[in-house]
Amino acid sequence: MIADIIINTTAKQVQQTFSYTVPDSLPVQVGSRVLVPFGRRCEEGIVIALSRENSRTFSFTLKSIIDVLSVQHGFQEEMVRTALWIRDYYLCNAAEALRLFMVEKKGVRCQRRIVGGTLHGAAAVDEQIYTAVVHAGAVSRKVLESRFGAAAVARLLQNGTLQEKRVWKNTISDKMEEWLQIVPTVDTTVLKRRPKQRELWEFLVRKGECSLTELRENGFSREVARRMAADGLLVIQKKMRETTGAGPVTLSSLPWKLTAEQLAAISAVQQDTEGRTYVLHGVTGSGKTEVYMQLAAQVIREGKQVLVLVPEIALTGQIVRRFSARFGEDVVVMHSQLSQGERQANWLRMKEGGCHICIGARSAVFTGVRNLGLIIVDECHDGSYKQEETPRYHAIEVARTRAAYYKCPVILGSATPSVREYYLAEKGIYTLLELKYRVQGRPLPSVQVVDMREEFQRGRYEVLSPTLVELVEHTLQAGNQTIILLNRRGFSTFVMCRSCGFVVKCNTCDVPMVYHKDQELLRCHYCEARREIPKTCPACGSPYIKFFGTGTEKAAAELHDIFPAARVIRLDQDTTRRKNGGDRIIEAFRRGDYDILLGTQMVAKGHDFMQVTAVGILAADSLLNLPNYLAAERTFQLLTQAAGRAGRGALPGRVVMQTYAPEHYVVQYAKQQDFKGFYKEELAYRKTFLYPPFHQLIRILFQDEQETKVWQSAHTIASLLRSYVQEQGEAVEIIGPFVDAVKKVRNKYRAVILLKGADLTAIKKRIQQSSACFQKGIIIDVDPAW
């Protein structure tokens, strides 16, 4: 057999397929991770195709695969296909796409080790070192030097007694464990005089077979088993270690009595035989999660598996608890805050079919599966489903590609689906399912808009308007809870000199530094640089330095001043840095340990708090003026989602939105919680300016520490692409190059080219074929979410 292999390295110069012969003794399949000779070294390769040895001829002799690195950690055919689709659609290299499916990104690691050479009548100490190395087989120089001294090791290396060699460590080797089985045909009379061995024999007769780990847990020693095996009474075999579940589940959950809308949605999906994509448009509190669980139960009964994606790690705990209460240990979790060992175990459980439900954030879409039956994308509108690093994939598109292989449905659930998703549902490309009412007839919250311009004219400069203060006060008196949304962290958003107007900016990024009062310093939210607060203006020497703008820290301080008895907790990036930090804060608030939850957009994402009757939204228009065609959509989604946290329990909810643009159509539709009204107006705007869903976009970012190089590279690529468009007659608009919204980040200047057209397939192929487009400092973003 001949294997076509992608070398697992992101180096651009080796991004092609290499062919190797397959030894008959190796269990090589499409997707196997293998060790291959590559030049003067060994590398990991991933098999993407197999063919008969006589099907092709070569002008040179093919090298042979050395070994299979792991049977467990290989790829299924579907994974390979999806990775190659990612390579072609998102314009990355194959290794980068394949690595998305790997928990351990590299299967082999090159190490330098000391081995024995030739001993030449050495002194006793030299012979001692030599014997230690030979006995160990290979040992690191650092370990050897710590034991015998650097000088002695160097001397023996120089005279050839010891040699330094490169060895390759397999980092993904299959985890094995020993299992015991009795030999039923042997004479067991000898056990009459061996009570402990007889007890073990009787235990194994009852069990059939048992791992050594389980043996020790039942009070038997490894030595007893070894002696019985030596006497031929037992057989010890090695098997792959099985992964375990997430632990015992203490809660239980029974299915609700479903509404007619929920029943209709479930029925539509269950009758699916084509693997369609469904947009489940349900108002906040309409019971979308129960629909997910009912559909998952049916899929599991069919022996298939479910992937459930959520937008934030902080949301994982909430939905995991609900699914675990219903499905017990049949649920595993995948997200970046787990240890590598935890992710590895959970990934293998799904891939080997030992578990049927995987819940996680964006990267969970790459979890291995045995037989996929359903993919659920909760809060599908959320921008965090778009990866911000290469490869810049969108989890929804990857989910749809994987689902197409298994012909299983994809559910995109949201109260505020994206304009693109809803448009595709209207056109019949997706299928629209609607939940128009909250469960148990609960009303949507009432929304009041406060014009902060009027507050300013009245001389009120506080963060919270009197209307919002009154709402919070009433809520506290009633013993209920409040959520406050402010989508800016820190205390003050910039520091400025009142004499000359100088703004303190980051030394390496072209952005103002943010004041964090709890640390008494300025921080850059792009590169995390820190600096002390200047006592005088660096430009003019004036002492009149003032803090402007409001972040969550300042809002929290004002809440404490106004409501000293209230228990306030913050949920933002600064308070959730520790593992499971967000989940702990959310659960503490859910238990009633706090009265007010204040935070950034994290507080608006799908939380289900029964005691929250009030929501306050500060700076409701803060996203509207961003240079981004998605600004209106993102603002509407954030406002509507935040408002939807109120009144999900027995009591009705109230919302106060504070804004300097109360007449803006986004604020007005959010006040009315009118998604369809917003959608129609926004779609008309997109059609006028040919933005998605009517046109596709590719954003090419150029960055370098030298500004002249940035512009040279950008103009070269723009010229190359314009020449191609003119030659081929492609209907593609090439805009730019122009300065990025942030001119400099981490000491690198930034310029952008934007490609816009109804179909960018052809120009994508041209970009993929051009080595100039993949030089250092060039980032290609297909379907940008900026």
Side-chain angles (χ1 to χ4, degrees):
M1 294 287 286
I2 294 175
D4 292 331
I5 287 175
I6 296 290
I7 302 299
N8 185 12
T9 174
T10 57
K12 302 293 184 185
Q13 61 268 29
V14 293
Q15 292 309 309
Q16 63 186 77
T17 302
F18 297 89
S19 297
Y20 290 83
T21 60
V22 181
D24 294 336
S25 58
L26 293 182
V28 174
Q29 305 173 33
V30 170
S32 292
R33 296 175 74 170
V34 295
L35 184 66
V36 296
F38 194 75
R40 295 182 179 181
R41 63 187 189 274
C42 291
E43 284 283 358
E44 177 188 8
I46 298 154
V47 179
I48 63 169
L50 290 170
S51 58
R52 293 190 305 275
E53 201 155 351
N54 59 0
S55 62
R56 288 182 286 171
T57 58
F58 297 88
S59 59
F60 50 88
T61 302
L62 295 182
K63 294 180 181 179
S64 178
I65 293 174
I66 298 171
D67 199 3
V68 175
L69 294 174
S70 170
V71 174
Q72 288 183 311
H73 291 81
F75 290 69
Q76 289 122 327
E77 180 187 26
E78 172 266 315
M79 293 181 187
V80 174
R81 285 192 186 183
T82 302
L84 296 180
W85 173 83
I86 291 171
R87 175 197 65 186
D88 296 336
Y89 188 85
Y90 290 107
L91 301 178
C92 61
N93 64 50
E96 287 171 333
L98 287 162
R99 283 185 175 191
L100 293 169
F101 289 91
M102 304 178 189
V103 176
E104 179 66 67
K105 303 301 182 188
K106 190 77 170 175
V108 289
R109 188 176 298 135
C110 182
Q111 300 174 328
R112 301 196 75 84
R113 290 290 182 264
I114 305 296
V115 298
T118 304
L119 186 63
H120 305 286
V125 64
D126 293 350
E127 187 172 352
Q128 183 185 4
I129 299 173
Y130 177 81
T131 303
V133 171
V134 171
H135 180 73
V139 63
S140 77
R141 182 167 181 166
K142 186 176 181 180
V143 170
L144 207 59
E145 288 177 343
S146 67
R147 183 176 174 187
F148 298 104
V153 172
R155 186 180 68 254
L156 296 186
L157 284 169
Q158 189 172 8
N159 67 25
T161 300
L162 300 179
Q163 295 178 356
E164 193 169 27
K165 296 179 65 175
R166 289 191 304 175
V167 297
W168 285 267
K169 179 182 178 182
N170 183 359
T171 62
I172 59 165
S173 56
D174 297 322
K175 304 299 184 288
M176 309 296 287
E177 62 180 347
E178 294 178 321
W179 282 69
L180 302 177
Q181 286 182 327
I182 62 172
V183 180
T185 58
V186 300
D187 182 7
T188 59
T189 55
V190 67
L191 295 178
K192 292 180 180 180
R193 298 185 302 276
R194 304 175 185 176
K196 198 63 180 177
Q197 291 189 14
R198 184 175 67 250
E199 187 180 348
L200 175 55
W201 175 275
E202 291 170 351
F203 175 78
L204 287 173
V205 168
R206 294 193 302 271
K207 290 284 294 184
E209 63 177 358
C210 176
S211 70
L212 276 177
T213 303
E214 186 180 353
L215 202 71
R216 290 194 299 272
E217 291 172 353
N218 282 274
F220 298 103
S221 70
R222 179 189 292 265
E223 188 56 34
V224 171
R226 297 284 187 209
R227 287 199 297 268
M228 292 179 68
D231 292 338
L233 297 167
L234 301 179
V235 175
I236 299 180
Q237 296 178 321
K238 287 190 174 182
K239 294 184 179 182
M240 288 185 187
R241 184 179 299 163
E242 294 183 355
T243 58
T244 57
V249 178
T250 57
L251 300 175
S252 62
S253 170
L254 298 175
W256 298 353
K257 182 179 180 181
L258 299 172
T259 66
E261 289 181 329
Q262 288 174 316
L263 286 169
I266 291 168
S267 176
V269 178
Q270 287 179 339
Q271 293 176 32
D272 181 283
T273 58
E274 302 174 5
R276 292 184 61 81
T277 298
Y278 296 84
V279 174
L280 181 60
H281 178 214
V283 298
T284 55
S286 58
K288 292 185 288 295
T289 304
E290 183 61 30
V291 172
Y292 301 155
M293 291 195 290
Q294 294 274 354
L295 289 170
Q298 176 61 35
V299 169
I300 293 172
R301 284 193 290 269
E302 295 170 358
K304 297 180 181 179
Q305 295 170 299
V306 183
L307 289 180
V308 182
L309 305 184
V310 294
E312 291 277 357
I313 293 172
L315 281 179
T316 311
Q318 171 183 297
I319 200 164
V320 165
R321 274 182 280 275
R322 292 193 63 179
F323 270 78
S324 295
R326 183 75 56 87
F327 300 103
E329 291 192 10
D330 211 8
V331 178
V332 295
V333 178
M334 288 290 288
H335 57 68
S336 60
Q337 286 192 357
L338 297 177
S339 69
Q340 182 166 303
E342 290 170 326
R343 283 182 285 139
Q344 198 84 280
N346 291 346
W347 194 94
L348 286 173
R349 263 193 101 203
M350 284 292 289
K351 181 174 178 285
E352 300 302 320
C355 179
H356 290 89
I357 300 175
C358 176
I359 301 174
R362 176 181 61 234
S363 61
V365 75
F366 298 106
T367 303
V369 292
R370 180 177 287 271
N371 188 8
L372 192 60
L374 176 67
I375 300 180
I376 296 165
V377 184
D378 192 30
E379 308 295 343
C380 63
H381 65 276
D382 200 282
S384 61
Y385 284 121
K386 181 73 159 82
Q387 169 80 345
E388 294 181 356
E389 299 172 354
T390 302
R392 297 180 174 234
Y393 67 86
H394 199 294
I396 289 178
E397 298 308 313
V398 176
R400 295 186 66 244
T401 302
R402 296 197 73 182
Y405 180 90
Y406 295 96
K407 295 184 178 179
C408 73
V410 177
I411 311 297
L412 308 179
S414 176
T416 54
S418 73
V419 169
R420 177 181 178 273
E421 288 157 3
Y422 202 83
Y423 176 79
L424 293 174
E426 273 196 334
K427 293 294 181 182
I429 299 170
Y430 295 172
T431 300
L432 180 63
L433 305 172
E434 292 189 290
L435 303 177
K436 299 178 181 179
Y437 305 101
R438 284 186 162 185
V439 295
Q440 300 179 355
R442 294 168 184 160
L444 289 170
S446 61
V447 180
Q448 183 176 357
V449 174
V450 175
D451 188 345
M452 296 302 288
R453 296 172 302 188
E454 295 179 359
E455 299 297 319
F456 183 80
Q457 290 170 1
R458 295 188 182 108
R460 296 169 180 161
Y461 311 120
E462 293 81 6
V463 177
L464 275 68
S465 66
T467 304
L468 181 53
V469 169
E470 182 184 350
L471 173 61
V472 175
E473 191 171 29
H474 180 269
T475 304
L476 290 171
Q477 290 172 354
N480 295 315
Q481 293 175 302
T482 302
I483 290 177
I484 305 289
L485 166 67
L486 175 58
N487 203 27
R488 300 190 195 109
R489 59 192 176 102
F491 191 88
S492 297
T493 51
F494 66 99
V495 179
M496 188 177 76
C497 171
R498 287 184 293 173
S499 293
C500 69
F502 175 83
V503 175
V504 180
K505 290 190 174 182
C506 174
N507 290 331
T508 63
C509 305
D510 188 35
V511 292
M513 299 197 79
V514 177
Y515 171 48
H516 285 255
K517 188 174 183 179
D518 61 345
Q519 299 169 325
E520 280 300 322
L521 48 74
L522 302 178
R523 282 172 51 188
C524 173
H525 287 177
Y526 280 79
C527 70
E528 291 301 321
R530 303 181 179 203
R531 63 186 290 184
E532 293 183 357
I533 304 162
K535 294 180 180 179
T536 59
C537 175
C540 71
S542 166
Y544 301 110
I545 297 290
K546 187 175 181 180
F547 302 100
F548 290 87
T550 299
T552 49
E553 272 191 74
K554 186 174 181 179
E558 186 165 315
L559 283 168
H560 282 298
D561 290 341
I562 301 172
F563 310 107
R567 299 165 298 171
V568 181
I569 191 167
R570 251 173 57 218
L571 180 67
D572 56 31
Q573 194 172 328
D574 297 322
T575 61
T576 58
R577 293 182 183 276
R578 295 177 59 189
K579 182 177 179 179
N580 300 323
D583 189 41
R584 283 194 290 269
I585 291 171
I586 290 166
E587 287 309 304
F589 184 68
R590 190 189 312 280
R591 288 193 305 266
D593 296 349
Y594 295 92
D595 304 307
I596 300 173
L597 175 64
L598 164 70
T600 56
Q601 58 184 330
M602 297 170 73
V603 303
K605 295 188 175 184
H607 305 297
D608 199 14
F609 303 121
M610 293 296 103
Q611 294 303 311
V612 171
T613 58
V615 168
I617 301 174
L618 313 182
D621 48 79
S622 61
L623 298 178
L624 279 177
N625 296 318
L626 294 177
N628 184 339
Y629 81 94
L630 291 170
E633 179 179 303
R634 293 284 168 80
T635 301
F636 176 82
Q637 290 166 342
L638 183 60
L639 299 183
T640 306
Q641 291 286 341
R645 300 313 106 202
R648 299 170 76 93
L651 298 174
R654 288 182 58 198
V655 179
V656 171
M657 291 183 186
Q658 297 183 178
T659 175
Y660 286 93
E663 69 285 343
H664 198 286
Y665 74 94
V666 169
V667 175
Q668 287 301 311
Y669 285 124
K671 175 186 177 181
Q672 300 159 19
Q673 296 167 79
D674 180 4
F675 171 81
K676 290 186 178 178
F678 164 77
Y679 165 77
K680 290 177 181 177
E681 189 156 345
E682 182 66 12
L683 192 69
Y685 159 75
R686 302 273 186 94
K687 189 172 185 179
T688 300
F689 293 98
L690 296 178
Y691 282 123
F694 301 101
H695 269 42
Q696 300 172 355
L697 297 177
I698 297 176
R699 182 175 183 263
I700 305 178
L701 173 68
F702 302 83
Q703 51 184 7
D704 194 278
E705 292 181 0
Q706 296 184 34
E707 191 171 7
T708 54
K709 285 188 177 180
V710 169
W711 291 105
Q712 287 172 359
S713 179
H715 282 294
T716 298
I717 298 302
S719 178
L720 184 152
L721 295 177
R722 286 192 174 100
S723 296
Y724 170 78
V725 167
Q726 291 171 1
E727 290 169 7
Q728 302 298 319
E730 292 282 335
V732 176
E733 184 181 3
I734 299 173
I735 305 169
F738 53 87
V739 178
D740 191 23
V742 179
K743 182 180 179 180
K744 186 173 69 169
V745 174
R746 297 180 186 271
N747 261 339
K748 292 183 178 180
Y749 293 92
R750 297 154 66 96
V752 172
I753 293 174
L754 195 64
L755 279 59
K756 186 160 67 168
D759 185 356
L760 299 180
T761 305
I763 201 166
K764 277 186 185 181
K765 291 180 180 178
R766 178 67 183 94
I767 292 171
Q768 191 74 283
Q769 293 164 0
S770 172
S771 58
C773 294
F774 292 92
Q775 294 177 13
K776 183 180 178 181
I778 299 178
I779 297 173
I780 301 172
D781 190 1
V782 177
D783 300 337
W786 91 137

